[in-house]
Amino acid sequence: MVELKSDVELVAMREAGRVVATVLASVQDHARVGTALRELDVVAREVLAGTGARSTFLGYHPAFAPSPFPAVICTSVNDAALHGIPGDYRLRDGDVLSIDCGAEVDGWAGDAAVTVIVGAPRPADARLVDTTQRALAAGIAAAQVGGRLGDISHAIGSHARRAGYGLNVDYGGHGIGRRMHEEPSVPNDGRPKRGMPLRPGLVLAIEPWFMAGGRDSYQVDQDGWTLRTGDASRAAHVEHTVAITESGPRILTLP
Ligand code: MG
Ligand code: MG
C-alpha cells in the first residue's frame, strides 16, 4: 500500500532527513586517506547518538541478506556499489566511496547517500560521480504532481545510458515513511508516462547507482551484503529522500 503523508508529517520527516544529512556531512569530513571504514561508522554512530535518532540500518535484516546489517552506514568503495560493510579497509588516494545512511526520528525515516572521491580524483571517476549526481537531480526534477513514476525512472536511466554506464534496476529507489522501505519501488530505468501517478504527499527515496564499465551485471560478496560491479569497474551511488508536493519536489535530506 502506498501511504501519502500530510504536511505535518512531512515536517516530521524533514527532521529525520536533517539527521541523515548531518551524519553524511560528518562522515564525509572524516573520509581521508588512511581512515578505516570502521572509523567512519564510529563517527556516524556518535552523530546519531548525539541527536537521539535511531539507525534504520543497524540490525536491518532483509530477506536477501544472510545476517543483520552490523553498522549504521554502508561504505562501498570503488567496484563496490551498494551495501558495503564498514570494516578494516583503509581509504587510499583516489578511492571512490559511497556512504549511505538511514535514520529514524519520532517514528519517521530518512535515507540518503553521497559518493565522494578520497584525495585526488581520477577524471573518469569524477565524471562517473558527476553523472550519477546529475541523474539524481533529473530524477528529483521529474518528481512532480501530475507525472508518473516512470518519469523519474526514465530521467535516471537515460543519464546512465547516454554516458555509456552500466545500470541495473535491482535495488533502486523506494517509498519511505514510517518504515525505511515502503511501496512503491522506484526502478532506476523505465518508460516515461508509465506507472503510478505522482500525488502530493508521496515520499520517495530516489537513488541512482551507475557502473562505469558499461555492463549491467553485478555480484555479491561472500558477506551476503556488498554488491559489486560484475566487471570490477567503479561505481557511484547517490540518494535523497524527496517529497512530492503541489509546489514541487521537496528534498528532505538536505543539511
Ligand atoms: Mg540509502
Ligand atoms: Mg534507500
Side-chain angles (χ1 to χ4, degrees):
M1 204 189 81
V2 172
E3 228 182 295
L4 301 177
K5 281 77 176 179
S6 68
D7 288 346
V8 171
E9 289 170 335
L10 291 185
V11 170
M13 287 194 73
R14 170 71 179 123
E15 290 314 307
R18 204 188 304 274
V19 168
V20 169
T22 305
V23 172
L24 289 176
S26 193
V27 170
Q28 195 171 334
D29 271 355
H30 287 80
R32 302 191 196 103
V33 174
T35 305
L37 298 177
R38 195 182 294 284
E39 294 163 5
L40 297 180
D41 188 56
V42 171
V43 168
R45 285 173 193 248
E46 285 169 357
V47 176
L48 284 175
T51 63
R54 188 184 77 83
S55 169
T56 52
F57 283 18
L58 185 65
Y60 182 59
H61 196 177
F64 69 80
S67 56
F69 196 75
V72 302
I73 52 172
C74 299
T75 51
S76 308
V77 179
N78 295 340
D79 64 320
L82 301 174
H83 308 157
I85 297 172
D88 295 326
Y89 178 82
R90 289 191 180 276
L91 291 168
R92 296 177 191 165
D93 191 45
D95 275 353
V96 176
L97 168 68
S98 155
I99 311 157
D100 194 346
C101 179
E104 188 185 292
V105 176
D106 293 334
W108 295 100
D111 187 7
V114 295
T115 292
V116 296
I117 298 175
V118 179
R122 307 198 301 205
D125 294 338
R127 175 175 169 267
L128 171 68
V129 173
D130 183 62
T131 303
T132 312
Q133 287 168 342
R134 284 172 194 270
L136 174 58
I140 293 170
Q144 301 285 349
V145 173
R148 301 266 188 155
L149 205 56
D151 298 343
I152 299 172
S153 300
H154 177 73
I156 292 170
S158 54
H159 272 72
R161 300 299 179 201
R162 267 203 305 272
Y165 293 144
L167 178 68
N168 192 295
V169 292
D170 290 355
Y171 304 105
H174 48 90
I176 179 169
R178 292 276 180 197
R179 289 174 304 130
M180 179 167 61
H181 291 127
E182 297 185 348
E183 288 185 51
S185 72
V186 187
N188 280 332
D189 201 8
R191 290 200 280 170
K193 301 188 172 70
R194 298 294 181 97
M196 173 190 296
L198 302 177
R199 296 200 171 88
L202 180 63
V203 183
L204 303 172
I206 301 175
E207 50 180 313
W209 59 280
F210 295 166
M211 300 182 276
R215 305 256 307 266
D216 295 341
S217 60
Y218 64 84
Q219 56 195 27
V220 177
D221 280 4
Q222 288 285 326
D223 65 18
W225 280 100
T226 311
L227 188 154
R228 293 183 192 276
T229 60
D231 57 7
S233 67
R234 294 187 164 191
H237 167 231
V238 293
E239 176 179 24
H240 269 307
T241 296
V242 180
I244 292 162
T245 78
E246 294 287 5
S247 52
R250 187 189 304 169
I251 302 175
L252 301 180
T253 40
L254 286 174

